Amino acid sequence: MDVAGRPCRAVSAALLAVLLTGVLVLSGCAPGTPDADSWRDDAVRATGDGAAAASTLALALRHRDQLTGAYLQVVAVDAESSADSASQRLETLQPPPAEAGRHDRVTTALDDAGSVVREARTAVVAEDEAAYARLAEQLSTAADRLGALEDELRAAPGGTP
Amino acid sequence: MSPKQLLGVMLGILTAIGGFVDIGDLVTNAQVGARFGMGLGLVVVVGVIGICVFAEMSGRVAAVSGRATFDLVRERLGPRMGLLNLAGSLAVTVLTFVAEIGGVALALALISSVHEVLLVPAVAFVVWLVLWRAKFSVMENALGLAGTALLVFAVALVALEPDWSHLADQMLTFHRPATESWSVQAYYAVALFGAAMTPYEVFFFSSGGVEEHWTPKDLPVMRANVLIGFPLGGLLSLSIAGCAAVVLGPAGITVDTLAQTGLPVAVALGQVGLGFAVLGFVAATLGAACETGLSSAYAVAQYFGWQWGKYVRPREAARFHLLIAGLVVLATGVLLTTVDPIMVTEMSVIFAAVALPLTYFPILVVANDHDYMGEHVNGLFANTLGVIYLVLVGLAAVAAIPLLVWTRMGA
């Protein structure tokens, strides 16, 4: 019905408006980026992702005989990509003054982990199996260091639970 | 039941198991297992019961009326509501189609170590070729049976000798690690629910029933496939989560890649087990790519009343096949932008949850209509479960987007 069609359209438009407003309000509720809490959230995610990348490659190297060469190579390349992303996520952020010291420690740890992951990926592609055991140890150490920083960031006031 | 019928039932159950898991299940179950242990295992159970309820309903509708879902949605709900329904469901199914093609490329990269983007055009061509040339039954059975290779995850979980009581305790208490917030757990619960109840599974199931000319005589076999095959497929999902919970979680590994999903199998069973896992990855994602491609085209063709189906000659269903070709080109174009297929997968399972009521409400309406269903109309039990699940899918749909935004995609 044409006459009744108008109210129907009005109801539809109102529903759409409510939906969009809801989405916008909820989007607005997400934390902003420049404050200390937000930096800590990003730092927690970056350290977690960096540690996961290093731990994944360490696990794969320890079980290298149980993986095919192609599979190990994909794991190594993926780990390098994840470690790089984690490192870049923080490098592009301006840390709040109160977190400047921690920012340096976190970015240094991420860079160090990224270097070991890169070295391990190079060894995997070159099939330098003699280096695998040493690199697995170094990767675990790098992951532990990042894990400790992640715990510290979570424990800080306002940190992610 | 004759031996031939029994063989048919067995084949149907096996293909239902192998066809249950797709890239969304592979990734989401491994992510959840690594982060929450078995803390969200009950969500998988609830999701599997839900897909059984609605797949049985849609299969019954197809067998009794001889007509598929969108054909009836348009007729029963009217063109406007039908079009809204089509748009929502189609968007999610096409997104899932993109994710599945990306998933095949990721799986093949594990064998070839070639970057997945370079594999996408070849994978897309194969998907198109299968949808153009392969017989429906061959496509469904071959890929479904190959997909049962994923049962290696169940074998791997047993071989890992986990503390079963600990896993069961995590599952029954909705275990949440101290490092995870309730909102992130809720986000992953919705993602798991969406992955288990993906709408395309119902479109494909009911349209397949019409393609294979099911009649009410086929209802017992259909029910056996659904009520045995899907729960066993659900056990497969739980095994993937269990393997991740036992191997990846304790090592502090969160899952962002398909390669990580297969690592626990390698740890437990070595290269032979890993070979089965990768075969299962390829078969499950290729099967799901074919199913989602067909489901998208089924939905559009059924809504607009075009000739459709794999049993119809392509010349007679030209628009249907042209649409499939267009969707393959679209998916290839999206993936060639180098978008991460895992991210597309994560988006697809969340938006699947958003679209769930669009799929399941009309099925419940039609299954209750005496004019279509006659004596096979929903009984009290089916209606009770249907209404309970309608509430659950409604809650998941409402919560999905706010949780996506609030948790920054579960980060």
Side-chain angles (χ1 to χ4, degrees):
Chain A
M1 53 188 183
D2 189 42
V3 178
R6 283 178 200 160
C8 278
R9 270 185 214 156
V11 170
S12 302
L15 279 173
L16 189 65
V18 168
L19 192 68
L20 283 174
T21 309
V23 170
L24 288 172
V25 166
L26 286 164
S27 307
C29 288
T33 42
D35 62 15
D37 288 350
S38 171
W39 178 86
R40 269 194 297 273
D41 282 348
D42 284 325
V44 165
R45 280 172 199 129
T47 50
D49 289 351
S55 297
T56 302
L57 192 46
L59 179 73
L61 289 178
R62 289 201 177 95
H63 294 88
R64 61 189 177 278
D65 294 337
Q66 288 150 284
L67 299 168
T68 61
Y71 201 100
L72 180 58
Q73 199 166 312
V74 172
V75 171
V77 171
D78 286 346
E80 185 181 18
S81 174
S82 295
D84 284 348
S85 297
S87 192
Q88 285 166 9
R89 185 179 300 160
L90 276 195
E91 278 173 7
T92 54
L93 286 182
Q94 172 79 30
E99 296 288 357
R102 196 144 40 192
H103 180 84
D104 289 343
R105 282 196 292 132
V106 170
T107 50
T108 304
L110 283 168
D111 287 345
D112 291 348
S115 297
V116 182
V117 170
R118 197 166 303 113
E119 189 184 347
R121 191 267 301 153
T122 307
V124 167
V125 173
E127 296 181 14
D128 180 10
E129 294 188 14
Y132 287 0
R134 173 182 60 82
L135 287 165
E137 281 306 309
Q138 288 181 352
L139 286 163
S140 292
T141 305
D144 289 345
R145 186 177 163 200
L146 286 170
L149 278 168
E150 186 184 354
D151 291 342
E152 182 186 319
L153 287 158
R154 285 185 193 280
T160 308
Chain B
M1 190 178 277
S2 70
K4 193 179 174 185
Q5 283 175 315
L6 193 64
L7 191 68
V9 172
M10 289 292 291
L11 188 64
I13 291 170
L14 285 173
T15 52
I17 298 168
F20 182 83
V21 173
D22 66 359
I23 187 72
D25 296 291
L26 288 170
V27 171
T28 314
N29 281 288
Q31 283 178 332
V32 166
R35 287 181 71 162
F36 298 93
M38 295 305 289
L40 290 173
L42 282 180
V43 176
V44 175
V45 176
V46 172
V48 169
I49 295 171
I51 193 74
C52 286
V53 168
F54 283 97
E56 191 278 333
M57 248 183 247
S58 67
R60 185 157 33 93
V61 168
V64 174
S65 70
R67 295 166 67 184
T69 306
F70 270 98
D71 188 3
L72 296 171
V73 166
R74 182 189 161 120
E75 185 173 288
R76 189 67 178 75
L77 301 182
R80 278 191 181 182
M81 272 302 287
L83 189 62
L84 181 71
N85 197 303
L86 174 69
S89 303
L90 185 65
V92 171
T93 308
V94 171
L95 190 64
T96 312
F97 182 52
V98 175
E100 303 295 349
I101 290 184
V104 183
L106 285 173
L108 289 174
L110 298 175
I111 305 167
S112 62
S113 73
V114 174
H115 196 282
E116 69 268 10
V117 174
L118 297 175
L119 295 169
V120 163
V123 169
F125 178 73
V126 169
V127 169
W128 172 77
L129 201 62
V130 170
L131 296 180
W132 173 257
R133 297 298 301 175
K135 285 184 177 173
F136 186 89
S137 54
V138 172
M139 179 196 82
E140 190 184 24
N141 294 335
L143 293 173
L145 284 176
T148 56
L150 288 174
L151 287 169
V152 75
F153 276 91
V155 178
L157 185 57
V158 173
L160 286 167
E161 297 180 357
D163 180 347
W164 294 103
S165 62
H166 180 60
L167 293 182
D169 183 59
Q170 285 185 333
M171 194 163 156
L172 295 174
T173 58
F174 289 95
H175 167 73
R176 176 165 60 84
T179 51
E180 301 288 357
S181 65
W182 71 267
S183 55
V184 170
Q185 191 173 26
Y187 170 81
Y188 279 105
V190 169
L192 265 186
F193 193 62
M197 291 192 71
T198 319
Y200 83 82
E201 289 175 5
V202 174
F203 301 149
F204 182 75
F205 193 67
S206 66
S207 300
V210 175
E211 290 248 47
E212 292 178 326
H213 304 294
W214 286 352
T215 66
K217 284 183 183 172
D218 295 307
L219 287 178
V221 175
M222 181 274 289
R223 286 189 177 124
N225 292 348
V226 169
L227 301 178
I228 300 174
F230 282 3
L232 289 176
L235 277 180
L236 201 50
S237 293
L238 288 174
S239 302
I240 294 168
C243 283
V246 172
V247 175
L248 304 181
I253 296 171
T254 49
V255 175
D256 296 313
T257 67
L258 190 59
Q260 289 171 310
T261 303
L263 270 181
V265 176
V267 170
L269 303 172
Q271 291 191 8
V272 174
L274 188 62
F276 275 97
V278 175
L279 171 66
F281 289 164
V282 175
T285 50
L286 184 56
C290 293
E291 291 180 8
T292 47
L294 276 178
S295 296
S296 304
Y298 282 151
V300 175
Q302 287 164 12
Y303 177 83
F304 288 107
W306 300 345
Q307 182 67 274
W308 60 272
K310 287 280 292 162
Y311 283 114
V312 182
R313 286 181 184 173
R315 189 178 291 176
E316 291 166 18
R319 283 181 289 197
F320 175 76
H321 280 282
L322 201 61
L323 182 59
I324 289 176
L327 290 171
V328 170
V329 171
L330 174 71
T332 308
V334 171
L335 289 165
L336 287 180
T337 63
T338 70
V339 63
D340 180 6
I342 297 294
M343 197 198 75
V344 177
T345 303
E346 291 171 355
M347 295 296 282
S348 74
V349 293
I350 279 294
F351 281 97
V354 175
L356 288 176
L358 295 177
T359 307
Y360 294 120
F361 173 66
I363 291 172
L364 188 61
V365 170
V366 173
N368 269 294
D369 193 324
H370 277 277
D371 292 342
Y372 293 115
M373 302 300 291
E375 62 177 305
H376 297 286
V377 73
N378 266 4
L380 181 65
F381 184 64
N383 269 339
T384 306
L385 280 175
V387 169
I388 290 170
Y389 270 92
L390 209 56
V391 173
L392 285 178
V393 298
L395 288 173
V398 169
I401 301 281
L403 285 171
L404 175 90
V405 175
W406 187 264
T407 65
R408 297 185 189 180
M409 284 187 75

